[in-house]
Amino acid sequence: MVFQSTHKIFILYLSIVIELFALLLSSSTFAADTIEIEQRFRQLEHSELIGGMDKYREKLLELQSWLDPNNNKQQNRYNALDCWVTQADTAELLQSAIIKANKYLSKAQEDGDKRAQSDLTLCRGVFYQSASDDVSAERDYNTALNLATEINNIKLIADSLSTRASLAALKGDLAQALEDFQLAQTNYELANIPYWAYYNLSEIGNTYRRMGDFERALSLMDEVEQFYEQSGNLQAVNDNRYIRALIMDNLGNHSLAQELYAILLADAYKKGDEKLISSMLVTMADSLLQADKTSEAKSRLNEAEPMLDPQFDPNNWSLWHLFSAKSEFTDGNYESALAHIKSAEPHVSSQDNYRYLAWIQNVKAKTLAALGDWQQAYKANVAYNNTQELLASKLREQNTTRMRIEFDAARKEAENKTLKAEQSVQKALLQSLEERKRWQALVIGLSLILLTLILIWAYRQFKRARLMHKMAMTDELTRLPNRRSIQAKALQAMNAAREAQTPMSLLVFDVDYFKRINDTWGHEVGDRVLQKISTAAQLVMRKNDSVGRTGGEEFMVVLPDSTLDSATEVAQRLCDCVAAIDMQEIDDNLVVTISLGVAQLTEVDTTVSMLTQRADNALYRAKDAGRNRVEVER
């Protein structure tokens, strides 16, 4: 009896163990599936795929096969992704896309899924903006932001802020745009989403371009392009060139801008996207008009005309009429110019886009004056001046906002660390609540989170150390290497040249009559002049050349592998480039030139100071010979 009883107890115990093991196994399998689904969603939502839209849609279809058809949250989340990839490049497809977004949004509202509601409202807002319904678009962006804030979803908060900022920037409200972009950047970095963080950073660079800070804009574009190149996203690199081309136009380097536009236009034709093609052609026409190439501009406008649809893309259609008016005015066809102005003006006025409105009013006033209609020309000029005053007021507001944002940057960085830690703890707690029965997956997840936090902390410490070193070697005003840094580069180049028995040259330059500029226009204008010259100098340098500021208005350029003749060519190119800089945005009467001295390394030059002194001797001769020239020390 005792044996039988013991045997029964053993059998019962064994069956319980087997059931527990089966339950644990099924729980682990379910947890693994859940993690796989989450990873696939994250990969698509964070744009971690490289390979274009076709690969993205392929992965989206693969994800659908993993989902539970009865899981409403998964289905709504999938619908949001599907909304964002909906094709909408014609008027008919755009209306279909809005209908689809409304259908998906209604389902999410019925399910009470606020995350999906926020994402789908944002998606619908983008479609409204594409349809030039900016009022509905802005309403959706604000609604999406409120929903995302309510559920504390950092990515959706960032998405809403960034999208709303893009609309504000297009309408000329740069102060609001910059503030929203910076808040979005903070949230993208907190959420650790590199692709969207760098995409948003490119938008910040474009905003600085619109504000006239071209040096800051170029610096941000360099950082963004470096990330895309390292990640192998060549399409994103190509797309980023558009902003760089606009900056080149702003700096007056229209030839380089046209080269970049040509690359982008070829890519647009390859994609077969008529909206993108027509937009690029209109932008190229504007660049050509700025370069006084009216006939070439007309050719681009004529090429774009058949692709324009005033119903689908009224913004591009209005710009086409504006630039057509400019070209017709330049050729003396005033009646035709006035007809184009009348076509462009209603849409631009209705959108409250003051930047474009000022352009139209200016051309309108000049055209009416040329036609002898002085009364209407006067009214148009008054309207233009009023719009300019409004833009000036906005510019002052933008500068105030910018100063405040930059002043708060250090404080926000400390706050971001705290917020990031809080988000990590909150995420870990949520995982714990959701996966109480899947303890194995929970342990793995917490371990990965801990390791990620340690790596992030180590990475931030490394970046901070690099930043401190960079600050110590960089001129604060121009962002060029400072005196100590450029002299170190010169010494390194001298040693390398002697070791390899190759030529090496040095050139020095300073700004002509710089004291007069400071005395006449003030030190703030003087600083802006130095920044423009620094930007121009970087653009004309070769790959291995280094330019630095040695003090005041004085600069030094190190030219490895350069003979005296090739160094002289670089110096002359820099001299001509600076003389060609358009200073009219500062003052119509401001013209800036530089004088340069060039010297090649010889056996006599045992120190950097000796080589620099010889280059300085040539610089003094350039000053004595009338300035705005290059002199060589042989």
Side-chain angles (χ1 to χ4, degrees):
M1 293 291 293
V2 174
F3 175 78
Q4 290 179 346
S5 176
T6 305
H7 180 70
K8 289 180 179 178
I9 293 173
F10 176 77
I11 294 297
L12 178 63
Y13 175 77
L14 183 61
S15 65
I16 292 174
V17 169
I18 291 173
E19 287 180 9
L20 287 174
F21 181 77
L23 179 63
L24 179 60
L25 184 62
S26 63
S27 175
S28 299
T29 303
F30 180 76
D33 288 346
T34 302
I35 293 172
E36 176 67 23
I37 291 171
E38 180 61 30
Q39 287 177 343
R40 287 173 178 264
F41 267 121
R42 176 186 174 87
Q43 185 183 49
L44 292 165
E45 290 169 343
H46 292 192
S47 294
E48 295 174 351
L49 291 170
I50 304 298
M53 188 56 68
D54 290 339
K55 183 175 181 181
Y56 192 96
R57 289 193 174 99
E58 177 188 332
K59 290 293 183 180
L60 187 60
L61 287 173
E62 289 180 8
L63 171 62
Q64 190 176 33
S65 64
W66 282 77
L67 304 182
D68 179 0
N70 298 317
N71 188 321
N72 289 332
K73 283 194 173 182
Q74 286 185 358
Q75 294 299 324
N76 288 328
R77 194 172 176 184
Y78 178 88
N79 289 344
L81 286 171
D82 186 52
C83 181
W84 284 108
V85 299
T86 301
Q87 191 173 358
D89 51 6
T90 67
E92 293 76 18
L93 289 174
L94 183 56
Q95 290 305 313
S96 297
I98 293 174
I99 292 171
K100 178 193 273 190
N102 281 324
K103 176 184 175 182
Y104 284 161
L105 183 57
S106 295
K107 183 182 183 306
Q109 289 170 340
E110 289 174 4
D111 296 335
D113 189 341
K114 291 188 176 181
R115 171 178 178 164
Q117 289 178 47
S118 175
D119 208 357
L120 288 164
T121 302
L122 192 61
C123 178
R124 184 181 66 178
V126 172
F127 291 145
Y128 278 139
Q129 185 176 337
S130 297
S132 297
D133 186 354
D134 291 349
V135 174
S136 297
E138 186 171 10
R139 180 197 62 213
D140 274 359
Y141 298 159
N142 289 328
T143 301
L145 178 59
N146 291 336
L147 286 166
T149 303
E150 184 178 342
I151 61 176
N152 196 27
N153 188 302
I154 297 178
K155 179 185 181 297
L156 287 175
I157 290 172
D159 290 343
S160 303
L161 287 166
S162 183
T163 312
R164 186 175 73 175
S166 296
L167 178 60
L170 285 173
K171 295 174 68 174
D173 193 356
L174 302 182
Q176 180 63 50
L178 184 60
E179 188 162 15
D180 279 353
F181 277 136
Q182 292 286 10
L183 287 172
Q185 191 68 22
T186 298
N187 282 282
Y188 280 132
E189 291 175 358
L190 279 172
N192 190 26
I193 309 175
Y195 178 87
W196 290 115
Y198 279 96
Y199 176 85
N200 187 74
L201 195 63
S202 70
E203 292 283 358
I204 294 175
N206 198 23
T207 305
Y208 275 118
R209 177 194 68 81
R210 289 186 170 113
M211 299 176 80
D213 190 345
F214 306 125
E215 182 185 6
R216 177 70 63 85
L218 279 173
S219 175
L220 292 175
M221 290 305 101
D222 289 340
E223 185 176 347
V224 172
E225 286 186 19
Q226 184 179 4
F227 167 76
Y228 287 143
E229 287 174 351
Q230 289 177 350
S231 61
N233 195 339
L234 300 181
Q235 183 59 53
V237 173
N238 204 33
D239 293 341
N240 208 52
R241 288 174 176 166
Y242 178 71
I243 299 176
R244 184 177 292 277
L246 293 175
I247 296 172
M248 293 302 101
D249 265 337
N250 293 139
L251 291 171
N253 194 342
H254 304 301
S255 59
L256 181 54
Q258 284 293 316
E259 291 177 9
L260 293 172
Y261 290 142
I263 295 172
L264 296 170
L265 180 61
D267 187 60
Y269 269 115
K270 184 178 179 181
K271 293 177 180 176
D273 187 339
E274 287 195 352
K275 181 180 179 181
L276 182 60
I277 295 169
S278 60
S279 177
M280 191 56 56
L281 288 169
V282 171
T283 303
M284 293 179 75
D286 180 30
S287 176
L288 290 165
L289 286 171
Q290 293 180 55
D292 296 327
K293 296 180 179 180
T294 308
S295 61
E296 294 182 38
K298 280 189 171 183
S299 176
R300 291 300 185 183
L301 291 169
N302 291 335
E303 187 179 351
E305 184 177 7
M307 306 179 200
L308 295 170
D309 184 348
Q311 300 300 321
F312 177 58
D313 190 9
N315 290 328
N316 206 33
W317 181 80
S318 298
L319 286 177
W320 180 86
H321 278 291
L322 169 61
F323 299 142
S324 295
K326 284 186 175 183
S327 64
E328 293 294 346
F329 177 86
T330 302
D331 286 346
N333 302 323
Y334 304 126
E335 293 289 350
S336 178
L338 189 60
H340 282 297
I341 291 169
K342 289 180 179 178
S343 296
E345 192 170 15
H347 174 73
V348 175
S349 300
S350 68
Q351 296 298 306
D352 292 332
N353 194 323
Y354 300 112
R355 188 159 55 100
Y356 289 163
L357 185 60
W359 291 0
I360 289 176
Q361 290 167 342
N362 186 27
V363 178
K364 183 178 180 180
K366 291 179 180 178
T367 304
L368 289 168
L371 289 169
D373 191 348
W374 300 107
Q375 184 176 6
Q376 293 301 320
Y378 174 77
K379 289 182 179 179
N381 196 53
V382 169
Y384 169 69
N385 288 332
N386 291 338
T387 305
Q388 286 291 88
E389 289 178 6
L390 182 60
L391 285 171
S393 174
K394 284 183 172 292
L395 180 61
R396 288 191 292 271
E397 180 184 353
Q398 292 157 15
N399 288 333
T400 301
T401 301
R402 176 183 169 185
M403 291 172 63
R404 175 170 54 80
I405 289 172
E406 293 176 352
F407 179 79
D408 290 342
R411 177 177 56 82
K412 285 183 178 180
E413 183 179 357
E415 292 175 352
N416 291 346
K417 290 182 179 179
T418 303
L419 286 172
K420 193 174 184 70
E422 290 175 356
Q423 292 296 330
S424 298
V425 172
Q426 187 177 14
K427 183 177 179 181
L429 178 61
L430 182 61
Q431 278 190 323
S432 174
L433 293 173
E434 290 179 348
E435 300 180 5
R436 285 176 297 181
K437 297 180 181 180
R438 302 183 292 276
W439 56 269
Q440 286 182 325
L442 177 62
V443 169
I444 295 172
L446 289 174
S447 299
L448 289 174
I449 291 172
L450 180 60
L451 178 61
T452 300
L453 288 174
I454 294 172
L455 291 174
I456 290 172
W457 177 83
Y459 177 69
R460 292 177 73 89
Q461 292 297 109
F462 173 72
K463 283 188 68 176
R464 178 171 295 175
R466 289 187 61 184
L467 177 61
M468 294 299 293
H469 175 74
K470 183 178 180 181
M471 290 175 62
M473 302 297 285
T474 303
D475 176 60
E476 183 177 1
L477 176 64
T478 63
R479 300 299 177 185
L480 294 176
N482 58 20
R483 182 185 186 87
R484 176 172 35 165
S485 178
I486 194 65
Q487 285 187 341
K489 290 177 183 292
L491 179 59
Q492 184 180 5
M494 287 174 62
N495 292 336
R498 286 198 173 95
E499 183 177 350
Q501 295 184 351
T502 56
M504 173 263 177
S505 296
L506 188 79
L507 69 86
V508 295
F509 67 93
D510 66 12
V511 184
D512 296 332
Y513 302 113
F514 187 69
K515 185 177 184 301
R516 185 185 301 172
I517 293 173
N518 281 334
D519 293 342
T520 305
W521 286 280
H523 288 277
E524 183 177 350
V525 169
D527 289 346
R528 292 179 65 188
V529 167
L530 293 176
Q531 289 171 341
K532 281 181 170 288
I533 290 174
S534 300
T535 301
Q538 288 177 297
L539 289 173
V540 302
M541 289 301 115
R542 300 167 306 177
K543 182 179 180 180
N544 295 324
D545 298 340
S546 300
V547 57
R549 183 185 179 199
T550 55
E553 72 276 22
E554 300 169 353
F555 297 81
M556 175 188 293
V557 180
V558 179
L559 304 170
D561 298 318
S562 294
T563 63
L564 195 59
D565 290 339
S566 60
T568 304
E569 290 178 5
V570 173
Q572 189 60 54
R573 186 165 66 245
L574 175 58
C575 185
D576 295 339
C577 182
V578 172
I581 293 176
D582 184 4
M583 297 289 180
Q584 287 188 351
E585 68 176 60
I586 300 176
D587 191 282
D588 290 339
N589 298 319
L590 178 58
V591 177
V592 177
T593 61
I594 60 174
S595 298
L596 305 95
V598 185
Q600 181 179 341
L601 178 67
T602 65
E603 294 180 357
V604 177
D605 303 311
T606 57
T607 65
V608 174
S609 297
M610 295 179 69
L611 181 56
T612 305
Q613 182 60 53
R614 293 177 56 236
D616 280 334
N617 294 338
L619 172 61
Y620 297 144
R621 290 201 302 274
K623 293 286 188 183
D624 293 338
R627 294 179 169 83
N628 190 24
R629 60 184 291 118
V630 177
E631 287 291 336
V632 176
E633 180 73 13
R634 297 190 182 276

